[in-house]
Amino acid sequence: MIRSKDGVFYLETAHSSYLFHILPGGQPEHLHYGERLVRGTAEGESAVSDELLARLAEGLKEKQLYPSGNMVEYSAETGALCLENLCTELSSFGKGDIRDPFIELCFSDGSTTCDFVYENYMIRNGKRQPSEMPGALPEGDGGVQELTVWYRERETGLSLELRYAVFPETDVIVRSAVLQVPKDAGEPVIVRRLMSAQLDFHETGLRFTAFHGHWADEMNRFDTVVDAGRAVNDELRAGVSGSRSNPFVMISRADTTEEFGACVGINLIYSGNHYEALSADGFDKSRFLTGIQPAGFSFRLSPGESFETPEAVLCFSPEGFGGMSRAMHRFVRRHIVRGYWRDRERPVLLNSWEANYFRFDERGLIRQAKSARDLGIELFVLDDGWFGTRDDDRSSLGDWTENRKKLPGGLARLSEKLHAMGMQFGLWVEPEMISERSTLYAGHPEWAVRIPGRTHALGRNQMILDLTRSDVQVWLIDEMTRVFSEGQVDYVKWDMNRIFSDCFSSELDADRQGEFAHRYVLGLYRVLGELTERFPRVLFEGCASGGNRFDLGMLSFFPQIWGSDDTDAICRADIQRGYSYGYPLSAVGAHVSASPNHQTLNTAPMETRFAVAAFGCLGYECDPCDLSDEEREEIREQIAWYRDWREVFAGGELYRLPGDGMLIVSADRLRAAALLLCRESRPNRPFMQLKVRGLDEHLLYHVTSRRVPVRVRDFGSLVNTMSPIHVREGGMVQDLLSRFYKMPAEQEDQIVPGSALMACGVRLLPNYGGTGYGEGTRVFRSRDARLILFEACVDS
């Protein structure tokens, strides 16, 4: 809901209010963003009258009567108004506000002062879409409205448009800006910075939460309390949203917890260099900015031209980090992810990479696919190495024709055979890249991103195609259309395995090279938009060395993204927990891989690997032909179980439990699954209690667990305290006993009211503690996991 009266603007969602007003001098003063200022009526309608709106503005506006110290007064007409000590909706340098600015411009005479003042506004139902970038879709949230406020630069007549789209059901406000140069302007303007959103706070000491990492170690949570100075989360020159610093951040008070307290989650619908910063000043105020990275950025606008920012997503919850996450998840599922696969269950896949790397042939692939099909796997994905002379990572990117030594019948014959056996066919591509050793580079060296006449820095032995060029965009669209059509693909894994270096485009003038990074992203979006429209039923999964481009921009085209190249279950549990703060489980690709793990050489039980991967889009990444009969049976049972629970994992509400625990609750609250993970087993710790949230307090729940096999070899030489004969550890007798004799395994079986499960939890069967073992004892070693299940006891 949006209300406006006499220069006061009030935006409202189910649990939040946003309020600002226009000062007499035309400056927009920010008054509030957070908890609802006005409670609704019994019918749920807002109770904001014109009179109450005026009283809110009067009560919350800053009272500046005298200038303070050495601050700059805005103008003689506005008296004591000092912008440095004011919360505003936009900011710039030159008129006294010396904090981190919202906009920076350079005019033809070299001056940089900007002075934007209020001009007009409009409220409309629905929401406009950005012209060259993806934006949030209004469908699926009743009552979406958009407020547009226009400001005019006092001296030059430039127009600055601030947009606020309100999604009431998901507690989200989407912000963006458009700068327009008048047609009759005499000279161009250089944009040095234009943020997507500014959010000022009337307090300091806020906690700024960002998620940092690197390849195979993404989304580690870092908290910084900003009492003074500035905390920054950004990607400077990577060219992508990045595994170093994901664009999703949170702002909260120091006492906010997982379940309680105010929390704002902010994300950017953008896939390039980005900037998020929270700063605190000496006047008990804080400022947050998010948008395109200003370092190295410039954009020239000629008369009549405009520049549009990516959309920023603001989500507030009074129910802590967890409440914000669940609202953000609903928003992403409804308004970011789109198309055929938005609400559909994703197939269980087998990816060929860790089974084969570059060494494979058609016969071996078919053998693996048949073995996978017999396990219940639905989609076979052929990864890198199928094209050109691609026997390693040093050649052939750009030459998207089949290697006939590996695939004599090409992709078409492989695809036909897979479809004939009832499987879907998926294909790995890395379309944005070009190898120096390739036919494409020999014919079009100017298509590579590099500075002519200078030595180029490679990444993974490859360069990047210049997607700022329209001819490269057209070629790429046509080439991928041919590959996907001839291969009859059902799934595409779109990879991007390096960051940017030596950024330069021969298509841009020398004074426009600062536009390169942003124009690349726009070119990429054009390519992705065309291809996803041409292949609406193909399931696209994004990838960029794992999570190096995991953002809302890519999720606008690809309904899921590979979360990390690290498939170690314990590492992945941390990474996926990090993603869960801002992204739903249905957006994260997760695989069960071999043990020892290829990235860490750590070992983990099959059940642990499965339990962690189930909290994502489940896949497998191993050679099914090399599995033992015991492992095959275990995987077959896992997939059958997952199919029964897939809807819960894909569309349920996520709750992070203390420690490493995760809980997913179905939309109707009739089923739930909790992940328990043991990092380090200690003796004499038998007690385990599980307290959950999100269930129906009025229902009874049958509490069970997935039965995990316990084998004789799990006890090592300790088995000799029970065995009538001596069993040598690692010997044939132990192997035979492990194969044919199953030790008693615990099985939870309790019926508990939902109210009790959420108030105090359920006391689970005891862990093995060093003394005594029997049926009902949980063997819970380091790196073990359990899935505890809750199913409502309702009449059929």
Side-chain angles (χ1 to χ4, degrees):
M1 186 273 290
I2 301 176
R3 290 289 308 277
S4 175
K5 181 69 175 178
D6 298 331
V8 181
F9 297 91
Y10 179 79
L11 291 69
E12 184 178 270
T13 72
H15 300 97
S16 71
S17 295
Y18 193 114
L19 181 69
F20 67 96
H21 76 144
I22 306 300
L23 295 172
Q27 297 77 26
E29 181 185 4
H30 177 79
L31 302 176
H32 172 78
Y33 177 50
E35 284 204 63
R36 280 270 294 262
L37 296 176
V38 181
R39 301 304 172 192
T41 64
E43 292 77 26
E45 296 295 326
S46 176
V48 182
S49 64
D50 291 346
E51 180 183 4
L52 183 56
L53 204 58
R55 289 182 174 178
L56 284 172
E58 179 63 28
L60 295 180
K61 73 178 183 181
E62 178 124 1
K63 281 74 176 178
Q64 291 188 4
L65 299 179
Y66 307 99
S68 176
N70 63 353
M71 286 193 295
V72 173
E73 298 173 43
Y74 173 72
S75 70
E77 291 77 18
T78 56
L81 177 64
C82 298
L83 297 181
E84 184 184 349
N85 185 21
L86 188 74
C87 290
T88 60
E89 291 295 301
L90 63 94
S91 56
S92 58
F93 289 145
K95 293 297 181 180
D97 192 342
I98 57 175
R99 297 168 291 178
D100 214 7
F102 178 82
I103 184 171
E104 285 186 82
L105 304 176
C106 184
F107 298 97
S108 59
D109 61 0
S111 64
T112 58
T113 291
C114 297
D115 187 14
F116 286 93
V117 293
Y118 173 77
E119 188 172 41
N120 204 349
Y121 81 95
M122 180 180 69
I123 299 172
R124 67 191 300 273
N125 293 326
K127 174 186 172 293
R128 288 170 293 178
Q129 291 302 299
S131 59
E132 296 183 275
M133 290 176 284
L137 298 176
E139 292 80 8
D141 194 328
V144 173
Q145 290 182 297
E146 184 177 65
L147 167 67
T148 303
V149 184
W150 284 273
Y151 300 87
R152 178 179 52 83
E153 208 285 314
R154 195 184 294 272
E155 304 297 334
T156 63
L158 271 67
S159 174
L160 180 62
E161 181 179 323
L162 298 190
R163 297 177 181 176
Y164 307 73
V166 178
F167 292 74
E169 295 179 7
T170 51
D171 284 311
V172 160
I173 297 174
V174 173
R175 297 279 310 273
S176 62
V178 180
L179 180 69
Q180 176 80 42
V181 179
K183 291 182 179 180
D184 58 359
E187 301 288 343
V189 174
I190 304 300
V191 182
R192 291 179 174 173
R193 167 195 292 228
L194 183 56
M195 294 288 103
S196 296
Q198 175 179 310
L199 188 60
D200 286 358
F201 298 87
H202 295 82
E203 58 187 303
T204 59
L206 295 171
R207 177 169 49 194
F208 183 60
T209 301
F211 297 84
H212 301 290
H214 47 78
W215 174 76
D217 188 21
E218 297 88 344
M219 295 302 290
N220 298 285
R221 175 180 164 176
F222 290 87
D223 294 338
T224 304
V225 175
V226 184
D227 292 304
R230 179 169 53 182
V232 176
N233 174 78
D234 68 349
E235 281 292 356
L236 274 168
R237 297 295 179 96
V240 289
S241 52
S243 55
R244 283 81 170 169
S245 300
N246 192 272
F248 171 77
V249 297
M250 301 186 295
I251 300 173
S252 60
R253 296 192 176 101
D255 60 353
T256 297
T257 67
E258 182 67 23
E259 300 180 51
F260 304 104
C263 177
V264 181
I266 306 107
N267 211 339
L268 201 61
I269 309 178
Y270 191 62
S271 307
N273 298 327
H274 58 91
Y275 176 86
E276 294 79 40
L278 179 67
S279 56
D281 62 22
F283 302 99
D284 301 316
K285 295 181 177 68
S286 299
R287 169 168 293 170
F288 173 78
L289 293 166
T290 181
I292 295 172
Q293 170 65 256
F297 169 84
S298 66
F299 210 97
R300 187 180 70 194
L301 293 180
S302 297
E305 293 182 337
S306 63
F307 183 86
E308 186 173 19
T309 72
E311 293 183 347
V313 177
L314 281 61
C315 180
F316 173 82
S317 174
E319 298 177 351
F321 306 121
M324 182 282 300
S325 292
R326 287 183 289 279
M328 186 69 88
H329 294 173
R330 290 190 291 271
F331 176 81
V332 173
R333 286 197 299 259
R334 295 179 191 176
H335 306 294
I336 297 297
V337 177
R338 58 203 71 187
Y340 179 81
W341 286 100
R342 190 190 76 168
D343 300 319
R344 283 179 166 80
E345 297 175 2
R346 316 285 163 71
V348 179
L349 65 82
L350 175 72
N351 185 284
S352 70
W353 178 242
E354 289 191 8
N356 304 315
Y357 291 99
F358 293 103
R359 302 175 61 180
F360 59 83
D361 57 28
E362 182 185 288
R363 182 178 178 182
L365 294 175
I366 293 299
R367 184 163 51 89
Q368 291 171 345
K370 288 180 177 178
S371 182
R373 177 200 58 188
D374 294 342
L375 300 177
I377 288 172
E378 300 155 316
L379 165 65
F380 182 84
V381 180
L382 174 58
D383 210 279
D384 197 357
W386 59 267
F387 52 92
T389 57
R390 185 81 166 169
D391 295 323
D392 52 38
D393 62 10
R394 291 176 291 183
S395 75
S396 302
L397 288 169
D399 298 343
W400 300 108
T401 54
E402 301 95 322
N403 183 320
R404 293 287 172 164
K405 291 182 179 179
K406 297 179 181 180
L407 302 174
L411 292 175
R413 190 170 80 181
L414 176 64
S415 178
E416 289 172 5
K417 289 183 177 181
L418 291 169
H419 288 144
M421 67 174 72
M423 294 194 77
Q424 295 173 292
F425 174 51
L427 188 66
W428 177 97
V429 291
E430 196 174 3
E432 299 164 65
M433 297 295 143
I434 181 172
S435 300
E436 286 189 284
R437 289 170 48 193
S438 68
T439 303
L440 180 64
Y441 184 71
H444 290 284
E446 75 281 6
W447 284 8
V449 174
R450 61 185 304 166
I451 303 172
R454 297 191 186 183
T455 303
H456 183 72
L458 297 176
R460 203 186 181 230
N461 300 304
Q462 61 200 47
M463 298 175 292
I464 301 173
L465 279 174
D466 184 1
L467 291 188
T468 70
R469 300 174 58 116
S470 59
D471 55 348
V472 175
Q473 297 166 21
V474 170
W475 175 85
L476 194 53
I477 292 167
D478 291 343
E479 188 69 355
M480 288 300 104
T481 297
R482 179 189 62 79
V483 171
F484 300 161
S485 298
E486 292 179 0
Q488 304 173 59
V489 300
D490 305 293
Y491 161 103
V492 170
K493 181 180 179 182
W494 185 291
D495 212 340
M496 198 270 196
N497 277 312
R498 62 157 294 179
I499 59 174
F500 284 70
S501 63
D502 302 303
C503 294
F504 182 88
S505 174
S506 59
E507 288 292 287
L508 296 175
D509 294 337
D511 63 346
R512 306 199 74 152
Q513 292 298 325
E515 302 174 14
F516 171 84
H518 180 60
R519 288 189 179 276
Y520 181 93
V521 175
L522 297 182
L524 173 64
Y525 286 157
R526 179 196 173 190
V527 170
L528 299 183
E530 287 275 357
L531 289 173
T532 51
E533 283 187 16
R534 292 184 184 189
F535 300 93
R537 296 204 173 191
V538 169
L539 173 59
F540 284 85
E541 178 167 351
C543 180
S545 303
N548 201 39
R549 197 164 58 185
F550 200 116
D551 57 70
L552 298 185
M554 298 307 290
L555 284 173
S556 299
F557 302 100
F558 302 160
Q560 62 192 58
I561 301 175
W562 180 232
S564 175
D565 282 347
D566 184 357
T567 56
D568 180 291
I570 303 301
C571 300
R572 253 315 184 105
D574 293 335
I575 292 168
Q576 290 172 199
R577 188 179 182 93
Y579 280 122
S580 75
Y581 284 93
Y583 302 95
L585 297 179
S586 58
V588 184
H591 293 177
V592 177
S593 63
S595 181
N597 178 264
H598 287 204
Q599 290 78 51
T600 64
L601 299 182
N602 291 327
T603 60
M606 182 74 77
E607 181 67 14
T608 300
R609 290 174 272 156
F610 167 72
V612 172
F615 277 78
C617 298
L618 177 67
Y620 288 78
E621 192 153 348
C622 56
D623 190 340
C625 300
D626 291 344
L627 298 172
S628 67
D629 291 343
E630 189 176 33
E631 290 171 325
R632 290 180 61 79
E633 185 54 39
E634 200 169 346
I635 291 176
R636 186 178 290 111
E637 185 277 332
Q638 288 174 351
I639 294 174
W641 180 89
Y642 179 77
R643 282 177 169 176
D644 182 42
W645 282 79
R646 181 160 43 187
E647 183 180 2
V648 177
F649 285 104
E653 296 273 270
L654 181 72
Y655 296 82
R656 288 178 293 272
L657 303 178
D660 300 305
M662 302 271 273
L663 173 75
I664 190 73
V665 181
S666 64
D668 58 11
R669 296 192 292 173
L670 297 180
R671 303 176 94 190
L675 169 66
L676 302 182
L677 195 62
C678 180
R679 289 184 181 271
E680 183 183 17
S681 178
R682 305 293 294 272
N684 200 22
R685 301 283 180 90
F687 179 71
M688 182 176 285
Q689 177 173 275
L690 176 58
K691 182 179 177 181
V692 298
R693 303 192 293 277
L695 303 182
D696 189 327
E697 63 182 356
H698 303 293
L699 294 178
L700 292 173
Y701 287 87
H702 186 199
V703 183
T704 60
S705 58
R706 277 182 49 80
R707 187 181 290 273
V708 178
V710 180
R711 302 169 179 86
V712 170
R713 62 172 171 266
D714 294 334
F715 287 83
S717 61
L718 183 63
V719 75
N720 287 308
T721 61
M722 300 179 291
S723 174
I725 61 171
H726 182 76
V727 179
R728 182 171 64 86
E729 190 171 1
M732 183 178 64
V733 174
Q734 186 192 61
D735 183 62
L736 289 171
L737 287 172
S738 294
R739 188 177 302 178
F740 297 109
Y741 175 71
K742 304 302 181 187
M743 303 285 284
E746 98 281 358
Q747 176 66 64
E748 298 291 343
D749 186 6
Q750 306 179 60
I751 295 179
V752 186
S755 55
L757 290 169
M758 293 185 289
C760 56
V762 58
R763 279 91 201 219
L764 302 175
L765 291 169
N767 299 328
Y768 174 74
T771 57
Y773 175 80
E775 189 169 358
T777 304
R778 177 180 297 101
V779 176
F780 208 45
R781 305 159 299 177
S782 299
R783 303 180 73 83
D784 273 350
R786 289 294 188 276
L787 288 175
I788 308 299
L789 312 175
F790 304 84
E791 297 186 84
C793 302
V794 294
D795 295 333
S796 58

